[in-house]
Amino acid sequence: MTRRLTQRGQERRRQILDFAIARFAENGYHPTSVAEIVQGLGVGKGVFYWYFESKEELFLEILKEAQLDLRRAQRAAIEDVTDPVERIALGMRATMAWSASHPELHRLVQFAGTQEHFAAAMRKGQETAVRDAGRHVRDGIATGQIRDLDPEMLAHAILGMTAQLAREFLHERHVSHEVVADTAVSLLLDGLLVPSPTRA
């Protein structure tokens, strides 16, 4: 649902989103009802349905905003950086920092990945992330820095390693994002980079 919102309307919509994120992360998506959300906010259901057609649409908007916010953080980290390998490393570090700062969104994204009715939204986000990473990989292959392998496969490797380390070490074991990022970057670049005489 798309509406032109006043400043007050945008603030109310944001309030609903933020409250729902906290509730979904704490109690789970399925147990959390629209009635619980509006009761917690102290508004009527009509207010909720002015902004969102359903709980599912609300959750999809949360996923969309999370993906966009992460992408903004990554783009800000690599702004004006020309070296493709450095862009990959900085993007991974930005991803770890963002994930560490948004544990509730990480939890919701993990949940969404297990639900068939959120599969299309998750797939769209994944495809965008693969395209972004793949662009840097192709640039690195063109400059001779990165092994001349399938760029899409390498992009998936970057995303897969980053996601797995974030899930296990940031959110399960609570290791600092700097330490996890250092390990991820070191391991990944050792596998991506063309061996030099000094590294061989």
Side-chain angles (χ1 to χ4, degrees):
M1 181 191 306
T2 302
R3 296 184 186 277
R4 294 180 63 86
L5 300 177
T6 63
Q7 180 66 32
R8 183 178 177 184
Q10 291 172 10
E11 291 170 359
R12 174 62 80 186
R13 182 178 182 278
R14 181 76 259 159
Q15 194 177 30
I16 295 170
L17 284 164
D18 290 342
F19 186 84
I21 288 168
R23 286 293 183 180
F24 289 147
E26 182 178 357
N27 301 329
Y29 171 78
H30 293 299
T32 302
S33 65
V34 171
E36 181 182 351
I37 292 170
V38 297
Q39 183 178 6
L41 287 168
V43 300
K45 283 189 176 181
V47 173
F48 178 92
Y49 289 114
W50 175 257
Y51 298 100
F52 304 100
E53 292 182 355
S54 64
K55 184 175 77 167
E56 182 173 327
E57 184 189 63
L58 168 63
F59 194 83
L60 286 168
E61 188 62 23
I62 289 170
L63 293 178
K64 178 182 174 182
E65 288 198 2
Q67 291 164 348
L68 288 173
D69 192 51
L70 171 58
R71 195 167 185 233
R72 280 193 292 266
Q74 293 165 337
R75 294 176 73 174
I78 67 172
E79 189 176 12
D80 300 325
V81 175
T82 57
D83 184 277
V85 173
E86 188 178 355
R87 292 200 305 263
I88 291 170
L90 289 172
M92 292 175 70
R93 292 185 186 282
T95 300
M96 292 295 185
W98 185 91
S99 188
S101 299
H102 299 84
E104 69 291 343
L105 291 175
H106 171 84
R107 194 172 303 123
L108 298 185
V109 168
Q110 292 298 303
F111 164 77
T114 69
Q115 303 296 302
E116 181 61 32
H117 51 290
F118 297 130
M122 295 298 292
R123 186 163 50 250
K124 183 177 179 180
Q126 176 80 357
E127 289 169 354
T128 299
V130 168
R131 281 197 302 272
D132 286 346
R135 184 171 65 254
H136 308 313
V137 169
R138 288 184 181 86
D139 289 347
I141 292 172
T143 60
Q145 296 168 275
I146 292 177
R147 298 170 187 267
D148 190 6
L149 301 173
D150 183 341
E152 184 177 0
M153 189 178 297
L154 294 180
H156 276 280
I158 293 168
L159 298 176
M161 176 181 286
T162 305
Q164 176 62 25
L165 291 177
R167 179 167 52 250
E168 180 64 27
F169 290 94
L170 285 185
H171 299 289
E172 295 295 330
R173 305 192 192 187
H174 306 292
V175 178
S176 77
H177 70 84
E178 293 94 345
V179 170
V180 180
D182 285 345
T183 301
V185 169
S186 176
L187 286 172
L188 191 67
L189 294 188
D190 276 348
L192 281 180
L193 297 183
V194 171
S196 67
T198 58
R199 297 176 72 248

